[in-house]
Amino acid sequence: MGFLHDIGKYILMISSMFTRPENLSMYAKETMRQVYQIGIGSVLIIAIVSTFVGAVTAVQFSYQLLDIGLIPMWWMGIIVRDSLILEMAPTICALLLAGKVGSNIASELGSMRVTEQIDALEIMGVNTTAYLIGPKIMGGLIIVPFLIVMAVALGIIGGGVAGVLGDFFSIADYIRGLQDGHEAFYIVIMLIKCYVFAFIITSIACYQGFYVKGGALEIGNASTRAVVNSSIVIIIANFLIAFLLL
Amino acid sequence: MIEVRNIKKRFGTQEILMGISTQFQKGKCNLIIGSSGAGKTVFLKCLVGLFNPEDGDILYDNRPIGSMGVKEKKKLRNEMGMLFQGNALFDSLTVEQNVRFPLDMFSEMSMEEKTERVNFCLSRVNLENANDKYPGEISGGMMKRVGIARAIVMNPKYLFCDEPNSGLDPKTALVIDELIKEITIEYNITTVINTHDMNSVMGIGDKVTFLHQGYKHWEGSKEQVMEESENKELYEFIFASDFLKKLREAALQNK
Ligand SMILES: Nc1ncnc2c1ncn2[C@@H]1O[C@H](COP(=O)(O)OP(=O)(O)OP(=O)(O)O)[C@@H](O)[C@H]1O
Ligand SMILES: [Mg+2]
């Protein structure tokens, strides 16, 4: 029951956002602020994590596949590239962002709710869902794809460095693999994941933060819920996208 | 003028307001008094539409808020200013940006006009040289004043203040009260103020409404409040302090 109630309220929240903005430039400014906050706030952690994820992918696959001589060396480039594009970069980044950005958004909105800042906006005649939630979702949709593309690039570099340092393959082989047979469809899937995950992370966090009731303690609970719920939904959505599109 | 017709509000099984009717006149400071937890804040939030009362209606110059569409409500909101009990300043914005926010959002003014208006409002509340500070960096009294400046920046027709001088020293409290009164008269605003401060009642209470256990228990002017002795609950509320009790006795003896 509680679950259905939440879904209904969530859908109402999303649909109440679609009104004419009171002042377009204020909304644009707020969106840019969100792009900056989400982007700058997450770029470092995503860079570090994706580099190592790429490295571990290269090392792990090399160890398991090259040793037994099942595949030619230059295939490692393809394997690292495609697994980063299809699965590793979008999913791992999305989970990281759910933790970082999701908790941030939920606690920001939660404290605005608790300290009546949202009520103050309401009294002024501002459409609070549109002004507070719209720019956050929009900002996420704008910047998350960039972060994930960056993650793919750094993952590929990390994979190459680790493979070469570990003497699993030569740099020439790796690059040959990277250049082999681009599958444009994989990029499309990656982008679909980017947008879906960005929407999930920001909208669930907004929902949890926006409807906080009670005091400061509730803000912490809300941001925990934001992270847990959006992580679960991301994993399910990830499966559905793979299941339906691949 | 704001007319309140028999509003009722409950949370779960807890009934907070059990049918309150009253009127608030233009150009007057209308005070709502009552002990802590009496439902003043809930009443004020029903008044401005942040809470939906289960029953009753509120008329803003004969426009019932209950049957308003989104557009009309938005228009009405643009005519309202509110000071919250906890100030509710936007803590990611500076003092100046806080006060300018409604203008940024709703007015067509140029940047210079806006800055001029903001500075005028800030000087109106005697708050200069704090424009670039953040709410976290100023004192409680200054925050109240920023809250008032933000509430009046759009030239509201209706002003709501929830305990404008709680937590302030007596002198600053007096300044804030005087300020609200001046603004109310100067711009002919319908002002509604929640308070449990007797100094405010005596200073600016053009009309005083006493809430007790969910009902309007008493209503009258500040002069009538002092003479009231029939209404036991009101008497106990007002003369809770020994100081005021003695003052009253002295006044009665002199008569
Ligand atoms: N959002 C809410 N949900 C449930 N109960 C509430 C809510 N807001 C207020 N109440 C209850 O309503 C009652 C009246 O609260 P209110 O805040 O209006 O008191 P008040 O008169 O403003 O007191 P104070 O002078 O301390 O500010 C309290 O018992 C409070 O517990
Ligand atoms: Mg209160």
Side-chain angles (χ1 to χ4, degrees):
Chain A
M1 246 343 264
F3 176 68
L4 287 180
H5 173 82
D6 272 337
I7 302 249
K9 209 161 142 196
Y10 171 83
I11 291 171
L12 281 181
M13 175 192 91
I14 299 290
S15 55
S16 70
M17 266 166 37
F18 295 98
T19 51
R20 217 165 61 91
E22 293 85 9
N23 181 331
L24 208 57
S25 78
M26 287 293 277
Y27 278 66
K29 220 169 89 185
E30 182 61 17
T31 305
M32 285 328 288
R33 195 173 76 87
Q34 295 300 331
V35 166
Y36 184 82
Q37 256 187 6
I38 299 172
I40 296 295
S42 328
V43 74
L44 187 65
I45 180 162
I46 287 202
I48 294 171
V49 170
S50 60
T51 308
F52 281 93
V53 165
V56 116
T57 310
V59 171
Q60 193 92 48
F61 274 103
S62 301
Y63 179 75
Q64 294 187 303
L65 298 178
L66 295 183
D67 263 15
I68 36 178
L70 274 182
I71 56 161
M73 275 210 205
W74 61 271
W75 277 28
M76 282 320 297
I78 306 181
I79 292 178
V80 172
R81 182 195 70 199
D82 288 352
S83 53
L84 277 169
I85 290 177
L86 271 178
E87 182 58 39
M88 297 296 193
T91 314
I92 292 184
C93 289
L95 291 175
L96 278 178
L97 290 171
K100 174 106 196 8
V101 176
S103 61
N104 229 325
I105 288 178
S107 57
E108 180 186 329
L109 287 181
S111 78
M112 285 186 80
R113 168 65 72 194
V114 168
T115 57
E116 297 179 314
Q117 291 175 50
I118 297 182
D119 288 341
L121 283 170
E122 193 83 37
I123 288 297
M124 289 173 191
V126 176
N127 178 345
T128 47
T129 46
Y131 180 67
L132 290 175
I133 297 173
K136 291 190 167 60
I137 294 181
M138 205 56 204
L141 291 175
I142 292 172
I143 196 69
V144 168
F146 280 98
L147 290 172
I148 292 181
V149 167
M150 178 196 80
V152 170
L154 288 174
I156 287 175
I157 293 173
V161 171
V164 171
L165 284 183
D167 227 6
F168 289 106
F169 46 71
S170 74
I171 188 74
D173 277 338
Y174 189 65
I175 290 175
R176 178 174 162 211
L178 290 179
Q179 288 171 335
D180 189 80
H182 285 286
E183 187 80 72
F185 183 55
Y186 288 179
I187 305 280
V188 173
I189 295 217
M190 183 189 78
L191 287 178
I192 291 175
K193 285 189 177 182
C194 290
Y195 289 114
V196 171
F197 294 166
F199 186 81
I200 291 172
I201 295 166
T202 47
S203 63
I204 289 184
C206 286
Y207 175 75
Q208 293 297 348
F210 194 80
Y211 293 108
V212 162
K213 275 208 179 93
L217 199 63
E218 268 304 308
I219 302 172
N221 292 340
S223 59
T224 308
R225 274 199 306 275
V227 176
V228 173
N229 293 0
S230 54
S231 300
I232 294 171
V233 177
I234 284 168
I235 295 295
I236 295 173
N238 189 39
F239 167 73
L240 287 179
I241 291 171
F243 189 73
L244 296 175
L245 296 180
L246 281 179
Chain B
M1 188 186 88
I2 304 173
E3 195 182 337
V4 182
R5 284 189 188 157
N6 193 35
I7 59 166
K8 295 181 180 158
K9 178 73 193 167
R10 63 163 79 201
F11 292 108
T13 55
Q14 191 191 7
E15 290 188 71
I16 309 295
L17 306 175
M18 303 192 240
I20 294 185
S21 306
T22 185
Q23 289 185 355
F24 302 120
Q25 302 296 338
K26 219 181 235 177
K28 296 260 158 47
C29 287
N30 301 280
L31 266 54
I32 315 287
I33 60 172
S35 50
S36 192
K40 301 184 294 296
T41 301
V42 173
F43 179 71
L44 206 63
K45 286 190 173 174
C46 285
L47 218 55
V48 298
L50 283 174
F51 287 153
N52 287 323
E54 276 93 45
D55 197 11
D57 207 353
I58 295 140
L59 288 85
Y60 282 84
D61 292 308
N62 298 320
R63 298 170 292 173
I65 196 170
S67 50
M68 271 184 193
V70 175
K71 261 201 189 128
E72 285 168 296
K73 208 161 185 178
K74 211 160 192 169
K75 187 166 164 283
L76 175 66
R77 291 266 161 94
N78 283 330
E79 299 171 352
M80 285 180 182
M82 179 155 179
L83 172 69
F84 286 80
Q85 191 162 359
N87 301 318
L89 299 180
F90 305 127
D91 40 32
S92 61
L93 303 180
T94 63
V95 165
E96 184 177 324
Q97 288 165 339
N98 259 286
V99 180
R100 204 179 58 216
F101 187 90
L103 298 175
D104 282 340
M105 206 57 155
F106 295 107
S107 83
E108 312 269 277
M109 290 181 181
S110 71
M111 196 61 191
E112 281 128 56
E113 288 169 314
K114 283 192 261 189
T115 309
E116 196 177 314
R117 174 79 189 145
V118 168
N119 285 330
F120 171 77
C121 290
L122 282 172
S123 69
R124 199 70 193 70
V125 296
N126 301 322
L127 194 71
E128 274 130 355
N129 308 322
N131 288 30
D132 296 324
K133 290 217 165 74
Y134 284 89
E137 300 169 346
I138 57 180
S139 75
M142 288 161 94
M143 284 195 236
K144 290 265 182 222
R145 283 186 264 179
V146 178
I148 294 175
R150 186 177 70 180
I152 61 172
V153 72
M154 294 282 281
N155 271 324
K157 281 163 83 173
Y158 315 99
L159 181 64
F160 305 92
C161 302
D162 199 351
E163 312 216 359
N165 50 20
S166 66
L168 302 181
D169 67 88
K171 205 169 152 200
T172 314
L174 216 65
V175 172
I176 299 267
D177 278 348
E178 281 307 313
L179 181 72
I180 293 172
K181 190 174 173 91
E182 273 171 39
I183 295 167
T184 300
I185 295 170
E186 201 174 321
Y187 302 110
N188 201 22
I189 303 172
T190 309
T191 301
V192 182
I193 304 166
N194 278 356
T195 187
H196 38 50
D197 180 2
M198 284 317 292
N199 287 324
S200 300
V201 173
M202 297 327 295
I204 59 173
D206 296 325
K207 173 175 178 178
V208 182
T209 305
F210 175 55
L211 292 190
H212 183 71
Q213 292 183 344
Y215 290 101
K216 181 176 89 179
H217 217 74
W218 187 88
E219 196 164 51
S221 68
K222 61 180 176 189
E223 289 80 14
Q224 290 167 322
V225 163
M226 273 320 240
E227 288 158 12
E228 182 63 42
S229 52
E230 302 280 286
N231 192 318
K232 192 165 156 283
E233 284 80 11
L234 179 70
Y235 180 85
E236 274 173 7
F237 174 79
I238 294 172
F239 299 106
S241 92
D242 263 351
F243 176 67
L244 278 176
K245 242 179 224 153
K246 292 209 171 99
L247 220 63
R248 180 185 150 96
E249 275 159 21
L252 288 180
Q253 269 171 12
N254 282 347
K255 260 193 182 168

